[in-house]
Amino acid sequence: MKEKREPEEKRGNVLPISMDAGFFFERAVSSLDRYHYDKALKYFRKAVEYEPNNPVNHCNMAGILSEMGDYEASNAALSVVLKEIDPNMTECYFYMANNYANMDNFEAAEEALVTYLEEDANGQFLTEAEEMMDLLQYELDRPTKLKSIKSMEGVVEHDRARELLEEGKFTQAVAILEEIVEKRPDFHAAHNNLALGYYYLGLFDKAMDTIGEVLKKEPGNLHGLCNLAIFYQHAGNSAALLELSGRLRKIIPFHQEHVFKLATTMGILGEHEAAFGHFSRLLRNGEMDQDPSLYHYAAVAAYHTQRMSAAKTLWRKVKRLDPGSGVADFYLQGLEERETTGAQISRSMTVSYHYHLPFEEQFKHWETSQDNLASEISGNPLVRSSFFWALRHGDAKTKLQVIQAFGLIADLEVEEALKAFLLEPEEDQYLKDIALFVLRNLGVNHPLPVCFGEKTTLVDPSRVASGLPVWKTEWQAVVDLALKQMKRSFDLQQQHDLETLWAEFLTLLYPETPEITHIEGWAAALEYLTAKIHHRPVTYEAVAERYGISASTARRYTRRIDEVCGVKEKMETIFPSVQ
């Protein structure tokens, strides 16, 4: 009798057990499902034994150790991954940060979390990391020491650049944005803001090129289209502007940020009806109802669409929210004049969407309070923008006013703007001399390149401009005394002209210059003549009293300078276009 065999298919059901890492991983997961953490840890450790170079096994083991409350052992396992197996598994730093936080070791948690954010390119746990950041800031009672987030490369820097733009620090913002777009050419928001930065600085061609790059890659980018429309308007490209503004009129944005951008753009383009509709939407929304600038924008749109009652109501709201700016008072007074006389508001400039006093009106205020204007320029980015723009595109009188106003601000942005102005070949030499004088007052005491026509020369702003081979101490003492006396009542142009007059006097007589033994007499004469050149009321008696000398002494020294320099003629020739 033959031996019976089991069918082949039945024998095939008996399978050998494969004792590999996968087997122990499955057992560990099964144990976890049943909350058997001890068994799960044992199986994860076996998986590590079978595949010691697989970082996932180590991370799984670290995870279960953390679940069991053994945070130190968990971090030890994670350290093995980072130091010995795969340093690119940056998520391990996030796990370690969690462990340290659970151990109340917040300093170590911060260090690990910062490392994760600065090194991890994927940002898998970005939301959780931000929540942990808030916790650590609370526990440590200070801001977290974070420089950048790699998975959001450029985003942190971009936010900083936006803040700088809003503060009116355009040069600094542009430097950051240029670096961002070089690293991330697809970062459209950075390109848009870079274009605005160039525009605010008066670099129109660069602004156009930059916005063109955005719209080439994303033709429907709303911020890019709005910026382009403003640039078309500036360039006087009416055909292109007509087509683009027609497209913009048909857009009804959903996001508040887009509504605001489109509203302000349409207002600047003169599409006031569309602007009023968008601004009204924003006010109805209520999220910005404490922003005085929004009420001003809506008031301007109302004014231009003949909604005078609405404009008055809106400007009154501006006054309640921001009584110190003077903007609402200026326009409300204009409305009262219009109602009284039936004429349009016509003082200084047309009604503007910019939330600051009109440019010429600012200078009227400057005449009465330089401190107020300095504060306004420094703190209001729109005002700063108008000043930077005017320095490049204004007439000679406006540029002179801007240069003098910059002397009140005295920050890095101003210094860089004036240095750039010195390199413009077409700018008036007198204006460049004033700019150098302001730079000296700002403490710049090293040679600067100055463009004279086709030639560029290094000029030291710390020295009085003259062609003399020497500049004696007693000559400088006369200037110093005069400027000290004049500083509060004479503007920077007049102070500069005093220096120029003194340098000219000495140059014309050199080398037969007079012995300077009576510093007060020469200084008083310079102040008297400078006041006369600029048509300021002055008497010998008043000047002599300030310098502690007799009126006859002041007259004698004045006559001597006039004989050499012909000051009466200068009263007709010194920069007559800016008087």
Side-chain angles (χ1 to χ4, degrees), residues 218-231:
E218 188 181 339
N221 186 287
L222 182 60
H223 280 267
L225 290 171
C226 288
N227 290 341
L228 181 62
I230 301 301
F231 299 165

Side-chain angles (χ1 to χ4, degrees), residues 66 372 437 483 498:
S66 182
N372 284 347
F437 182 81
L483 293 181
L498 179 142

Side-chain angles (χ1 to χ4, degrees), residues 111-279:
E111 183 179 351
L113 186 63
V114 167
T115 303
Y116 167 71
L117 290 169
E118 292 183 348
E119 297 294 332
D120 186 83
N122 299 317
Q124 180 182 355
F125 301 108
L126 184 58
T127 301
E128 295 86 345
E130 289 174 345
E131 292 174 357
M132 190 186 300
M133 189 79 70
D134 291 338
L135 168 68
L136 294 178
Q137 287 179 354
Y138 174 79
E139 294 291 349
L140 296 171
D141 195 24
R142 60 169 171 76
T144 307
K145 303 170 184 177
L146 177 66
K147 295 179 180 178
S148 64
I149 300 176
K150 189 165 186 178
S151 63
M152 299 176 67
E153 188 171 8
V155 174
V156 173
E157 295 85 347
H158 179 248
D159 288 343
R160 175 58 183 150
R162 286 181 61 181
E163 290 174 2
L164 290 169
L165 283 177
E166 290 169 0
E167 294 167 8
K169 298 176 181 177
F170 308 119
T171 303
Q172 296 177 52
V174 163
I176 294 173
L177 291 165
E178 285 177 337
E179 188 174 339
I180 293 173
V181 300
E182 184 177 351
K183 294 179 180 177
R184 288 190 57 185
D186 59 338
F187 198 159
H188 298 321
H191 276 85
N192 278 325
N193 283 317
L194 178 58
L196 286 177
Y198 285 143
Y199 180 75
Y200 291 147
L201 289 172
L203 303 173
F204 181 70
D205 290 340
K206 279 191 169 184
M208 282 293 291
D209 291 342
T210 305
I211 212 66
E213 293 175 18
V214 173
L215 295 173
K216 184 178 179 180
K217 296 174 182 176
E218 188 181 339
N221 186 287
L222 182 60
H223 280 267
L225 290 171
C226 288
N227 290 341
L228 181 62
I230 301 301
F231 299 165
Y232 278 155
Q233 184 185 58
H234 166 79
N237 191 340
S238 54
L241 178 59
L242 183 64
E243 186 276 332
L244 181 52
S245 60
R247 289 171 58 191
L248 292 175
R249 276 197 301 272
K250 299 174 183 177
I251 296 175
I252 307 295
F254 176 75
H255 295 292
Q256 179 172 290
E257 179 187 353
H258 289 167
V259 177
F260 184 79
K261 178 70 175 181
L262 186 57
T264 53
T265 301
M266 298 307 279
I268 294 170
L269 296 179
E271 299 281 351
H272 304 298
E273 191 65 45
F276 184 77
H278 293 308
F279 285 129

Side-chain angles (χ1 to χ4, degrees), residues 262-422:
L262 186 57
T264 53
T265 301
M266 298 307 279
I268 294 170
L269 296 179
E271 299 281 351
H272 304 298
E273 191 65 45
F276 184 77
H278 293 308
F279 285 129
S280 298
R281 282 183 62 198
L282 289 170
L283 289 173
R284 286 196 299 270
N285 180 271
E287 292 185 21
M288 299 174 65
D289 61 356
Q290 296 304 305
D291 184 350
S293 63
L294 178 59
Y295 284 94
H296 169 72
Y297 303 147
V300 174
Y303 174 85
H304 284 299
T305 55
Q306 302 302 309
R307 296 175 170 93
M308 298 304 164
S309 178
K312 184 181 289 188
T313 300
L314 290 162
W315 270 316
R316 284 173 176 166
K317 181 70 173 180
V318 174
K319 185 173 181 177
R320 286 197 296 273
L321 291 173
D322 188 13
S325 71
V327 174
D329 286 329
F330 177 80
Y331 287 112
L332 285 170
Q333 184 179 343
L335 280 178
E336 289 177 8
E337 292 176 5
R338 182 183 189 276
E339 291 173 356
T340 302
T341 64
Q344 297 289 319
I345 296 177
S346 59
R347 296 173 300 156
S348 300
M349 62 178 286
T350 57
V351 177
S352 170
Y353 282 96
H354 290 308
Y355 185 57
H356 58 71
L357 288 172
F359 194 77
E360 290 299 327
E361 193 70 15
Q362 293 164 31
F363 281 110
K364 288 181 184 177
H365 281 237
W366 180 32
E367 291 171 1
T368 58
S369 176
Q370 294 191 5
D371 292 338
N372 284 347
L373 182 64
S375 175
E376 176 72 7
I377 300 169
S378 299
N380 191 323
L382 289 174
V383 175
R384 288 176 67 98
S385 170
S386 69
F387 274 59
F388 280 102
W389 185 267
L391 183 61
R392 286 186 174 273
H393 303 289
D395 58 21
K397 179 180 179 181
T398 300
K399 288 178 180 179
L400 179 62
Q401 290 175 315
V402 169
I403 292 170
Q404 293 187 79
F406 277 175
L408 302 174
I409 308 173
D411 64 15
L412 180 63
E413 293 281 318
V414 162
E415 186 177 318
E416 293 301 320
L418 291 176
K419 288 177 181 177
F421 182 79
L422 296 175

